[in-house]
Amino acid sequence: MQLRLLGLNYKSATVDIREKISFPGHNDLISGLKILFSIVEPDEAIIISTCNRTEVICVNPKKDIIEFFSYIANIPKESMKKFTYYFEDIQVAKHLFIVASSLDSLVVGESQILSQIKDAQEIASTNKFSSLILNHLISQAIRVGKRVRTETQIGKGNLSVATVAIDLANSIFGSIEKKKILVVGAGKMSKLFLKTLKNHGVSNIFISNRSKEKGIEISSEFNAKFLEFERRFEILNEVDIVLTSTGSCDYIFPFELVKKSTSKRTESLFMIDIAIPRDIDPKINSLENVFLYNIDDLTRIVEKNRSKRLKEIPRVEEIIEEELKIFNHWCYLNKIIPTISRIRIAAEKIRKAEVEKTLSKLNSKLSEKEVEQIDAMTKAIVKKILHNPTVQLKRHINDNNLENIINITELLFNLDSDLLLPDFGKHKELK
């Protein structure tokens, strides 16, 4: 089994590169996985895509994953490699456990990454892109994340990218309690915006969203005013702050329309865009009365908070190492299980054939109960014969020569894996 991971994040690539390889919505992820399978041809795959990272994990890829990144971003492979990082086999698991623990997050200790990993797994598994190996790996990564949050204080304070954005706005104005704020989007990050704004005592909040129904629902939940999505430019002369986090592939605040809408402002407008791809045209920052911050600009505030959580990192690393040993053991066990299964399948075929041959010679002279007894006896014989080889294989699970032991075992039992084992864990093309 080959386990491979290729990714890029806020440390390896700037926002303009990250947004070229992002899959912000459910359908985007499915489309991305279909393209990935057509280019890289893995047995299994999953894509984890957030505002801070895009990572592709593959089982037994036939081609280099960089081919997929290059195609999606329309950037030559050699140029693309400069922005990526790469892991193999057990290091893939280690990196994923680090990500799930939020040690690799822009905000150490943030909790959103865990739900984003869960969503990625659900999409890949439901649509048959992932199977036994990746489903097990992702499930264990989620367990690691939960352990870290319950056994350490690294997530104390529930700090997130959304709360950092509000902290930025608060530091700019001194206090945002009396400010008029527009939140665009109705997803998880927007809800975090709204919860944090309420905690800061902000009451004058507008919510705008493409889906009117969802926008009204979230406005009611947070006692805010709903603004039709088409009217979002009209209010730019009134609000003090715009917070945006949508799944749009295009700028929802293009330069010319924002320039026109803010031309009569006498006070500055602060816009904070944490979406990937970006919601706000970066050229807007050149307008005299508009100040734009994107997700990379939040790093300064993050660094101020990071030191408070660093003391928890050694315990988190201990948890990761414990879980790595468990996953490594499972991988070795997973190498043995197919061999044991093939031995049992082969033995059962021989047993059934011999029982049927013997019964046919007796010309139905046996009662139904006697036939059942013969069948049970032969099953017991086979089980006892195979018990010791099975135990011995499991005893050598951590042996450096495990591959050779498996090969010799399969040779001794004359196993033909293609005939004995059905298609296992491979993606079927969606119709």
Side-chain angles (χ1 to χ4, degrees):
M1 177 189 75
Q2 292 182 335
L3 199 56
R4 303 288 184 263
L5 182 149
L6 187 70
L8 75 171
N9 62 15
Y10 68 98
K11 291 183 285 188
S12 69
T14 55
V15 64
D16 57 313
I17 297 296
R18 297 202 307 274
E19 67 185 359
K20 292 179 183 293
I21 308 179
S22 65
F23 306 89
H26 181 279
N27 292 333
D28 299 310
L29 268 176
I30 293 176
S31 298
L33 283 162
K34 286 182 177 179
I35 296 170
L36 173 66
F37 269 82
S38 67
I39 294 175
V40 181
E41 301 176 30
D43 289 351
E44 303 179 39
I46 191 169
I47 298 175
I48 298 170
S49 183
T50 75
C51 55
N52 282 321
R53 73 181 65 250
T54 295
E55 295 183 348
V56 172
I57 307 174
C58 291
V59 176
N60 298 328
K62 309 298 183 298
K63 307 281 181 60
D64 195 327
I65 305 173
I66 197 70
E67 302 273 358
F68 170 69
F69 274 45
S70 175
Y71 175 83
I72 293 293
N74 194 26
I75 295 174
K77 286 185 291 184
E78 291 307 313
S79 299
M80 192 73 244
K81 285 179 181 177
K82 294 186 294 185
F83 306 109
T84 63
Y85 44 86
Y86 175 75
F87 297 103
E88 294 186 355
D89 302 326
I90 196 66
Q91 293 304 316
V92 172
K94 184 174 184 177
H95 174 76
L96 186 60
F97 293 172
I98 289 171
V99 170
S101 302
S102 80
L103 291 189
D104 196 48
S105 295
L106 177 65
V107 181
V108 173
E110 59 92 6
S111 58
Q112 281 67 51
I113 186 62
L114 210 53
S115 62
Q116 291 162 335
I117 291 173
K118 286 180 183 177
D119 291 343
Q121 181 194 31
E122 184 178 351
I123 290 170
S125 179
T126 302
N127 293 280
K128 310 298 183 188
F129 293 107
S130 66
S131 187
L132 174 70
I133 295 167
L134 286 187
N135 288 344
H136 182 91
L137 174 61
I138 300 297
S139 295
Q140 190 169 348
I142 292 168
R143 185 176 75 191
V144 171
K146 288 179 177 177
R147 280 192 64 189
V148 166
R149 281 156 184 80
T150 55
E151 297 178 26
T152 77
Q153 296 293 309
I154 199 160
K156 191 175 181 180
N158 195 30
L159 197 60
S160 68
V161 172
T163 60
V164 170
I166 304 300
D167 284 346
L168 173 61
N170 213 39
S171 65
I172 290 169
F173 287 98
S175 172
I176 58 172
E177 185 177 351
K178 304 296 183 184
K179 299 302 177 182
K180 187 180 290 187
I181 298 175
L182 170 64
V183 176
V184 186
K188 292 178 182 178
M189 296 304 285
S190 295
K191 286 185 177 181
L192 279 171
F193 277 146
L194 293 163
K195 288 178 183 176
T196 310
L197 289 172
K198 288 296 181 181
N199 290 339
H200 279 76
V202 181
S203 58
N204 202 352
I205 303 172
F206 292 85
I207 296 174
S208 185
N209 190 58
R210 283 187 198 275
S211 168
K212 184 175 181 180
E213 182 180 353
K214 193 171 182 181
I216 291 174
E217 179 185 333
I218 197 172
S219 299
S220 176
E221 181 182 348
F222 289 94
N223 194 27
K225 307 174 190 73
F226 176 70
L227 180 73
E228 298 276 357
F229 190 71
E230 294 73 20
R231 296 183 56 206
R232 64 193 182 279
F233 297 102
E234 297 175 17
I235 204 170
L236 291 186
N237 265 328
E238 301 177 34
V239 296
D240 301 292
I241 302 167
V242 176
L243 300 166
T244 179
S245 175
T246 76
S248 175
C249 294
D250 302 310
Y251 297 137
I252 62 172
F253 286 104
F255 177 77
E256 292 298 335
L257 289 176
V258 172
K259 180 181 180 182
K260 182 179 178 181
S261 301
T262 58
S263 59
K264 296 180 181 179
R265 285 189 67 96
T266 56
E267 296 182 354
S268 297
L269 170 66
F270 288 82
M271 305 182 80
I272 300 176
D273 177 8
I274 67 168
I276 297 289
R278 286 171 287 185
D279 284 335
I280 304 175
D281 188 336
K283 289 190 296 182
I284 286 170
N285 205 32
S286 65
L287 296 176
E288 187 176 350
N289 56 348
V290 179
F291 294 85
L292 171 63
Y293 296 85
N294 63 39
I295 197 162
D296 286 350
D297 297 320
L298 302 179
T299 305
R300 295 190 303 274
I301 295 176
V302 171
E303 289 303 321
K304 291 179 183 178
N305 293 293
R306 188 181 295 271
S307 60
K308 299 176 184 177
R309 301 179 178 212
L310 290 181
K311 63 180 182 180
E312 295 293 323
I313 290 178
R315 174 57 188 144
V316 174
E317 290 174 339
E318 286 177 11
I319 292 172
I320 290 171
E321 288 302 318
E322 290 169 13
E323 294 288 341
L324 267 180
K325 289 177 182 177
I326 294 170
F327 180 73
N328 202 34
H329 182 83
W330 180 86
C331 287
Y332 278 114
L333 185 61
N334 196 50
K335 288 181 180 180
I336 290 172
I337 287 173
T339 299
I340 293 173
S341 297
R342 287 196 290 271
I343 291 172
R344 289 175 178 171
I345 291 169
E348 178 62 11
K349 286 178 71 174
I350 294 169
R351 185 198 70 81
K352 286 180 71 175
E354 291 302 315
V355 168
E356 288 171 4
K357 186 165 66 175
T358 300
L359 292 177
S360 67
K361 290 178 181 178
L362 295 174
N363 296 321
S364 303
K365 291 178 182 178
L366 300 176
S367 66
E368 186 175 336
K369 186 176 181 180
E370 288 171 329
V371 170
E372 290 176 357
Q373 288 174 334
I374 291 173
D375 192 63
M377 179 191 68
T378 55
K379 283 182 179 178
I381 292 171
V382 168
K383 186 177 180 180
K384 287 185 177 181
I385 290 173
L386 296 184
H387 174 72
N388 196 51
T390 301
V391 169
Q392 291 302 320
L393 276 173
K394 288 182 177 179
R395 281 180 180 170
H396 287 84
I397 196 168
N398 294 316
D399 199 305
N400 291 332
N401 293 317
L402 181 62
E403 295 286 352
N404 289 334
I405 292 169
I406 290 173
N407 291 336
I408 291 169
T409 301
E410 294 190 354
L411 180 65
L412 288 173
F413 281 91
N414 193 29
L415 299 181
D416 185 340
S417 58
D418 291 333
L419 292 176
L420 295 175
L421 198 65
D423 190 18
F424 179 75
K426 294 200 175 186
H427 170 68
K428 301 292 191 300
E429 181 61 38
L430 297 176
K431 301 298 182 185

